[in-house]
Amino acid sequence: MSLIKEQDYGTPARPGEATVSVEIDGTTVLVPEGTSVMRAAAECGIDIPKLCATDNLEPFGSCRLCLVDIDGRRGSPASCTTPVAEGMKVRTQTPELAELRRGVMELYISDHPLDCLTCPANGDCELQDMAGVVGLRQVRYGFDGENHLDLPTDSTNPYFDFDASKCIACSRCVRACGEVQGTFALTIEGRGFESKVAAGAGGTFMESDCVSCGACVQACPTSTLQERSVVELGMPARSVLTTCAYCGVGCSFKAELRGDEVVRMVPYKDGKANEGHSCVKGRFAFGYASHPDRQLKPMVRERITDPWREVEWEEAIGHVGSRMLDIQARHGAGAIGGISSSRCTNEEVYVVQKMVRAAFGNNNVDTCARVCHSPTGYGLKQTYGTSAGTQDFKSVDEADVILIIGANPTDAHPVFGSRIKRRLRQGAKLIVADPRKIDLVRSPHVQAEHHLPVRPGTNVALINAMSHVVVTEGLVDREFVAERCEDFAEWERFISAPEHSPEAVESITGIPAAELRAATRLYAGARNATIMYGLGVTEHSQGSTMVMGMANLAMATGNIGRNGVGVNPLRGQNNVQGSCDMGSFPHELPGYRHISDDVVRGTFETLWGRVLHPEPGLRIPNMFDAAIDGTFMGLFVQGEDIVQSDPNTKHVTAALSAMDLVVVQDLFLNETSKYAHVFLPGTSFLEKNGTFTNAERRINRVRPVMAPRTGKHEWEIVCEIAQAMGYPMKYDDSAQIMDEIAMTTPTFAGVSFTKLDQVGSVQWPCNDAAPEGTPIMHIDGFVRGRGRFMLTDYVPTQERGTRKFPLILTTGRILSQYNVGAQTRRTGNTAWHPEDLLEMHPHDAEVRGIRDGDTVALASRVGETSLRVKIAERMPVGVVYTTFHHPVTGVNVVTTENSDWATNCPEYKVTAVQVSLPHPTPTPASASASASVT
Ligand code: SF4
Ligand code: SF4
Ligand code: SF4
Ligand code: FES
């Protein structure tokens, strides 16, 4: 296996049909209008020398290396900035061109350190390559004159260096930061000889707005911007194509290795979700996989107060099997259950739910999607008939208005965030509904038309008011509704009622009625308007209602079923979509088919050779309640730190403490394993072989770059537990598991590892009706037939501000950290976010005497923790915000048991709290002084 090198065509592809015919060095090629001569040449196999051009950036024309001759044109134009014209005749190789190019290269090399043999980029440097390509043999100018060779290196970023002495001022980094990433952290300062790359206002990379996405490092043709891992480990020698294991964007990467060691992760240009871009997590934060904290051997203990005892796999698995059977013998078949993980592959998740249903003999299986996107599943199923987003990411390139509700894409889905920013720079309009002024509200070259700072807990009032405006101002797409939808008349009556008007709900949502009306007119009047949403929608007591409310709005305005429109959940973890697809919920078999459906159940019963229980099993919160009641005594938890991530920590730990057997499978010992009796080591994404399904329903391959460091795949362990409980369950490899998924699940019928290896990725449904997959859903009709309007009464949450707890706490994540931080806290990403901070409006801080950086007590009616304050203008008055990445903060100590009425998704986004400075601890001196007074 060798290094995968994608072809660089020099300039981006232009859309449209190939209609322009040009002749290049005697070869005729047809390309779309607007294509550069350089790209046309590359498409017929002719590589023109270049330095400042690369095909993910617009041409710049600064290096003058790509000169060509064109019949009928004077001089030698730059091929990167010259578009083709019908009948054009181009020559790329003449003695005069060769001389000109050598002259250009000579100037570059005369101001460049000649340390190629010891340079980390040796063998991967375009400057070095071009010197060879143009045949440079000597440099006439010495190094005595003015040069840049003494410029310093900026090593402030934890992952890459900027060695200014090697910079050729080609501006690729500056353009990558703007055009690809959309951060605009870099500029070229000065002119002519004085030109140099500057981060921010001339400080260091870490002091600038840089978000460490690495696009500049990837774009740099020299070793000026260089990954430190390459400096330390040497140039990689081979690559394996795989998928990022962090967020629901599902970026494709080339894992580049030297031996068995990952040197760097390079985003893959043909990856359909990311098209060669990445964020700091996927590109740089992979070191946790080899972190010394990894537990690689199984461990067992009788009581949670006993020390762990490392054992062989056989003993650990036998112990789990016999203890689970023993619990069932004493407490009944329903006394045990399992939780699957949205971080694991589809294949790993599938076998967990199969183990629970077939070997445990009940439906007590749930997944961590319970606590994030379960309302998406419910809401979109009720309205559209399927539990998934409607579009592919690319669709946003056609959107004229983007409505983002309760999502923060530049932090939580950064690569898609960059795509949104690009579309906004092209002229699309943005509406943001979020209590906080998230970065997208205002950032370089991006300004939202409307920011609707909705009060936490009032989303449904907001969406109803938007629909009210659509209906009462004549903005309904009547033709679409009549042709495609049902139950409209009743919904129209409901939503037209005066209590849903923007004026009536202004005091509830906090959004001025005129602003809400203007935002709605913008959305409803667009040619194409799309809705993107996140956990700020779902993690509420009315999460499912809100999802249906958004689905109603999109249907009423005809914004469903084509490019540029839709309703799209931005999934948090890498495989939230997949873990739901794979039948992880207690009421659904794979493919979202209800467990009570005799025909569907029959399919699995025949294949699995077991009679399945027709009643839904316990959800995660029901398992906890049952444990405290003494009826649920054994739990298998895969890849989820429920003590840190689930709400109301005290309740969770009380439930775990009440169980006879808690089995944790994870990479690291975590907060939950403190309550475990068996620890089974898990595998990192670098060791897995399988698939992840991203937020756009795209099934991506996850390929192993090394064997499991624990000696076993996770699916093997699950199969062996099932066998230890007397249920035969065996696969030769994970491809065979996907074959079983395809055999039993109609939306996956056309999926196999072989197909994915051939085509890269597919979006489900992928079957005979859609062999290439389905980028856009509901094109000619909804999955359920007609789209159904649902009544969405606004019911205020029970969680209200009180005199004792007057502020509302809402939680979320930040760019550099991920979920409970188990992975990212074990990487250099802690340079950006070493602790959870409480963001607070200056007014709320001032009235409490709190200053920036103070440590405060954060208390709710269920618990209390402490953390430091960050005063932030982007917070509205009365709302505080924090992340949950660090166990030391344990912010879920304060979140409550409130949850979505339909799915039990916790109401993480609304907790009434008080924030106060801790009472000063008396010093010994003051203590004795007060004692003497007494
Ligand atoms: S790492 Fe990304 S954000 Fe930082 S300067 Fe480079 S391109 Fe810009
Ligand atoms: S740092 Fe690299 S990409 Fe940026 S201007 Fe210098 S050589 Fe070009
Ligand atoms: S955007 Fe998400 S999937 Fe892509 S590299 Fe970042 S964390 Fe990974
Ligand atoms: S590659 Fe065309 S001018 Fe640099």
Side-chain angles (χ1 to χ4, degrees), residues 162 166-173 188 197 219-222 224-225:
F162 171 67
K166 292 181 171 162
C167 180
I168 60 170
C170 66
S171 184
R172 273 165 64 163
C173 55
I188 296 276
V197 172
C220 184
T222 66
T224 311
L225 282 159

Side-chain angles (χ1 to χ4, degrees), residues 74 225 321 451:
R74 284 170 37 169
L225 282 159
H451 173 223

Side-chain angles (χ1 to χ4, degrees), residues 83 91 112 173 240 262 281 299 339 355 478 551 571 584 610 632 693 713 728-729 757 763 779 862 886 927:
R91 274 177 309 287
H112 197 82
C173 55
V240 177
V262 179
K281 293 191 285 288
M299 298 190 296
I339 300 176
M355 169 183 78
R478 300 258 161 206
R571 306 284 190 162
S584 286
R610 281 282 158 111
F632 185 85
T693 307
H713 290 288
M729 190 162 142
D757 291 344
Q763 288 168 272
I779 290 181
V862 300
H886 293 270

